[in-house]
């Protein structure tokens, strides 16, 4: 569209959610709360703020709380938005009643967009649930709403910490550390 959304600090109360149409008069803060993880969805804006997952149409003060947890990135799949929360995958249709956790993935450090192949989401997954250091590559089946570890790349209690996802045709390339060769490019077809 003709509107950009971003987080910025106006030297006041910290970062806020802003919008701009590229003009001085069309650039202003729309929400008086710290906002991050901004994502477009069905002509609206999803963002994290004040310990919650919010949606707004971009008007001043129009944000509505969808879920009581931050999200750190996500992707639109078949008209629903799937987000990575603190330790779960959250699905929303843009309404509070249509927003819920669909899978536990354990503590994660996954940020940004994540890939979808054959109606499955490739994600960091923490099968032990202990802490972020035990993350491996996981696969979330959207239809069945199930998650499982795709592969144990690094043997032992510490995980390979998969990240930096790139989709090329029907493959996903990502970075992971197998504990022997250091950080390398890995590939999966799901």
């Amino acid at each position: 569209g003709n509107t950009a959304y971003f987080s910025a600090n106006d030297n006041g109360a910290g970062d806020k959610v802003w919008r701009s149409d590229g003009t001085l008069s069309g650039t202003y803060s729309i929400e008086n709360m710290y906002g991050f993880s901004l994502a477009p969805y069905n002509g609206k804006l999803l963002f994290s703020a004040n310990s919650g997952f919010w949606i707004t149409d971009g008007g001043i003060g129009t944000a509505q709380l969808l879920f009581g947890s931050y999200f750190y990135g996500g992707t639109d799949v078949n008209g629903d938005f799937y987000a990575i929360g603190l330790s779960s995958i959250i699905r929303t249709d843009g309404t509070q009643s249509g927003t819920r956790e669909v899978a536990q993935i354990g503590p994660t450090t996954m940020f940004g967009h994540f890939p979808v192949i054959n109606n499955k989401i490739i994600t960091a997954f923490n099968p032990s649930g202990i802490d972020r250091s035990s993350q491996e590559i996981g696969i979330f089946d959207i239809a069945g709403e199930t998650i499982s570890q795709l592969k144990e790349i690094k043997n032992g209690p510490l995980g390979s910490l998969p990240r930096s996802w790139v989709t090329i045709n029907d493959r996903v390339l990502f970075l992971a550390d197998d504990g022997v060769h250091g950080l390398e490019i890995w590939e999966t077809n799901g």
Side-chain angles (χ1 to χ4, degrees):
N2 296 324
T3 306
Y5 294 94
F6 56 96
S7 280
N9 189 317
D10 63 359
N11 291 323
D15 289 349
K16 297 177 185 175
V17 179
W18 289 70
R19 67 176 283 158
S20 178
D21 64 5
T23 66
L24 184 60
S25 63
T27 303
Y28 49 89
S29 172
I30 61 171
E31 295 297 336
N32 192 21
M33 59 179 115
Y34 173 77
F36 61 96
S37 294
L38 282 61
Y41 173 67
N42 285 346
K44 296 189 178 185
L45 177 71
L46 298 170
F47 65 97
S48 286
N50 296 355
S51 299
F53 181 178
W54 298 77
I55 191 166
T56 181
D57 63 8
I60 296 173
T62 63
Q64 298 175 336
L65 180 66
L66 294 177
F67 194 76
S69 175
Y70 292 133
F71 80 97
Y72 297 101
T75 195
D76 189 338
V77 181
N78 303 325
D80 288 325
F81 189 84
Y82 289 83
I84 297 293
L86 294 172
S87 61
S88 64
I89 295 177
I90 303 165
R91 175 183 171 218
T92 187
D93 63 3
T95 67
Q96 191 174 42
S97 63
T99 304
R100 63 185 176 88
E101 286 183 342
V102 292
Q104 290 294 315
I105 58 174
T108 184
T109 55
M110 189 164 172
F111 295 93
H113 178 81
F114 49 89
V116 178
I117 296 179
N118 300 323
N119 217 31
K120 295 179 179 162
I121 295 172
I122 307 296
T123 181
F125 175 58
N126 190 334
S128 72
I130 297 171
D131 63 29
R132 290 175 174 87
S133 67
S134 57
Q135 291 177 77
E136 284 291 354
I137 186 168
I139 189 163
F140 175 72
D141 182 332
I142 293 169
E145 293 190 347
T146 57
I147 188 149
S148 58
Q149 183 172 312
L150 190 59
K151 179 176 180 68
E152 183 177 23
I153 294 172
K154 185 175 184 178
N155 293 322
L158 297 179
S160 64
L161 304 175
R163 58 193 173 277
S164 302
W165 316 94
V166 176
T167 304
I168 300 176
N169 299 321
D170 61 349
R171 300 174 303 135
V172 174
L173 303 177
F174 60 98
L175 296 176
D177 183 346
D178 67 0
V180 176
H181 303 100
L183 200 60
E184 296 179 302
I185 299 173
W186 287 73
E187 172 185 337
T188 184
N189 64 3

